[in-house]
Amino acid sequence: MRLIHFSHNRKEYWGILEEKNIRIIREEPSRGIKPVSKKIPVDCVKFLPPAKPTKIVLIGLNYKDHARELNMALPKEPLIFLKPSTSLIGHNDAITYPSSVRQLDYEAELAIVIKKEGKNIKPKDVRKYILGFTCLNDVTARDLQRRDGQWTRAKSFDTFCPLGPWLETGVSPKDLRIRSYLNGKLRQDSNTSEFIFPYDYLVSFISKIMTLNPGDVISTGTPSGIGAMERGDTIEIEIEGIAKLVNYIK
Ligand code: MG
C-alpha cells in the first residue's frame, strides 16, 4: 500500500494512492487506516513529506561499497546524527542552495518511518514499529561538514531533507536497488544488500538511545557515488519497489 500525504485546495490530507487517484483516509495513518469514499486525482495535489517526525535520525556510513570508495574500515557500530524537522520538503519541492555554502552534495538513502512509540525494541520486533519506507535525500553542505568537524550545520539548513513521494508499507528493505540521477545522468547505483548494519539492527540500536515516536524518520545511509549539485539542477532518488523522489536546486 502507498500512503501519501498531500495538500489540496489548501487543506492537508493523508490518503492511499490507487493508480491515478488518492482515496482519503480519516486520520494520520499511525492512528489506523480508515478510508473514506472521497477520491482526488493525484495530478491535482501538492506532495507533502510523508512523515511528521519529532526527530530525523541518520546513519553516517552504512554501505560497504561507500566504505570501499572512501578507503575506510567498516565501522564497529553505527554513527548516528540528526536533522531538524524544519529541513523537510516533499516531492517536486526546491532545495535552496545557501549562499554561504561552496559544495552542496546529494546522498540517496532509504528512509524508515515509525508507526508507534518504541523504546529498547528488539531487532526481531522492529517490523511491527515501522509504518513504511520511502526515499530520502541527505542533502549536505560538504565544505561546512569538513570545516566544522561535527555535522549539525552542514546537514540542517531548511530544505536539506527531501522525503517521499509516499510511503510504501509492503516492501522488504533487504534487497532493493537504490539509484540517484543528476539531470537524468546515473550517479549512484547500489543495493540495500550492501548495508553494513541491517535496518532492524539500526532501529533497535537507535531505540536503545532515544524513544521513537510515531512519524519519526530513520535514514539508513548512502551508497558510493555521492557528488555535488548546482543551482538549476534536478536530482532524483529512486528506490526499487518504492518510487522516485524528484527535487530541484534553486
Ligand atoms: Mg547520509
Side-chain angles (χ1 to χ4, degrees):
M1 181 169 46
R2 288 174 164 178
L3 292 171
I4 179 168
H5 186 209
F6 64 97
S7 65
H8 180 67
N9 293 338
R10 298 194 182 165
K11 280 175 84 179
E12 207 179 301
Y13 303 92
W14 281 89
I16 302 165
L17 183 62
E18 297 171 341
E19 309 224 339
K20 292 194 164 119
N21 289 302
I22 303 166
R23 186 184 291 273
I24 291 176
I25 59 177
R26 222 180 281 275
E27 295 184 282
E28 291 192 19
S30 58
R31 295 200 193 126
I33 295 163
K34 302 172 199 106
V36 298
S37 55
K38 192 175 174 193
K39 283 189 181 183
I40 296 176
V42 70
D43 293 346
C44 303
V45 309
K46 179 189 181 332
F47 287 79
L48 299 174
K52 287 186 176 174
T54 64
K55 53 199 164 292
I56 306 165
V57 190
L58 300 93
I59 313 301
L61 176 64
N62 197 37
Y63 277 80
K64 291 171 202 153
D65 62 353
H66 192 37
R68 281 196 295 274
E69 174 189 51
L70 299 171
N71 232 338
M72 285 171 74
L74 297 189
K76 297 220 164 31
E77 56 182 0
L79 174 72
I80 66 169
F81 63 97
L82 300 169
K83 274 184 194 275
S85 58
T86 43
S87 63
L88 278 174
I89 57 172
H91 178 58
N92 289 332
D93 284 342
I95 299 163
T96 302
Y97 199 130
S99 57
S100 59
V101 170
R102 295 288 161 266
Q103 185 183 339
L104 189 70
D105 282 5
Y106 56 83
E107 296 188 1
E109 306 199 358
L110 170 77
I112 296 163
V113 175
I114 296 296
K115 179 156 77 180
K116 58 179 180 177
E117 186 181 309
K119 175 77 180 168
N120 296 320
I121 306 168
K122 294 190 179 81
K124 70 174 175 53
D125 296 328
V126 158
R127 193 65 185 81
K128 287 183 263 178
Y129 288 82
I130 295 176
L131 181 61
F133 300 89
T134 189
C135 311
L136 184 147
N137 188 350
D138 176 17
V139 177
T140 303
R142 197 68 67 197
D143 56 326
L144 298 184
Q145 187 185 27
R146 289 195 197 103
R147 207 155 93 202
D148 288 354
Q150 59 86 29
W151 300 3
T152 305
R153 178 164 65 145
K155 299 280 191 179
S156 298
F157 285 85
D158 289 355
T159 75
F160 273 25
C161 195
L163 187 76
W166 47 70
L167 299 182
E168 181 61 60
T169 63
V171 76
S172 165
K174 290 185 176 166
D175 180 19
L176 300 176
R177 194 171 180 191
I178 176 165
R179 283 172 282 187
S180 64
Y181 301 85
L182 186 67
N183 300 322
K185 287 196 184 122
L186 184 64
R187 291 300 172 91
Q188 291 178 280
D189 187 2
S190 187
N191 192 292
T192 58
S193 61
E194 287 281 308
F195 276 8
I196 297 165
F197 303 104
Y199 82 99
D200 47 358
Y201 178 85
L202 289 173
V203 175
S204 171
F205 178 86
I206 293 164
S207 79
K208 287 175 191 160
I209 303 158
M210 56 189 96
T211 301
L212 294 174
N213 291 320
D216 281 355
V217 176
I218 294 174
S219 197
T220 55
T222 198
S224 62
I226 58 172
M229 307 178 285
E230 301 297 338
R231 289 183 185 89
D233 284 351
T234 299
I235 183 71
E236 298 166 284
I237 310 295
E238 183 172 32
I239 302 176
E240 180 186 358
I242 300 177
K244 192 190 255 188
L245 168 68
V246 183
N247 297 96
Y248 311 93
I249 319 304
K250 71 168 190 199

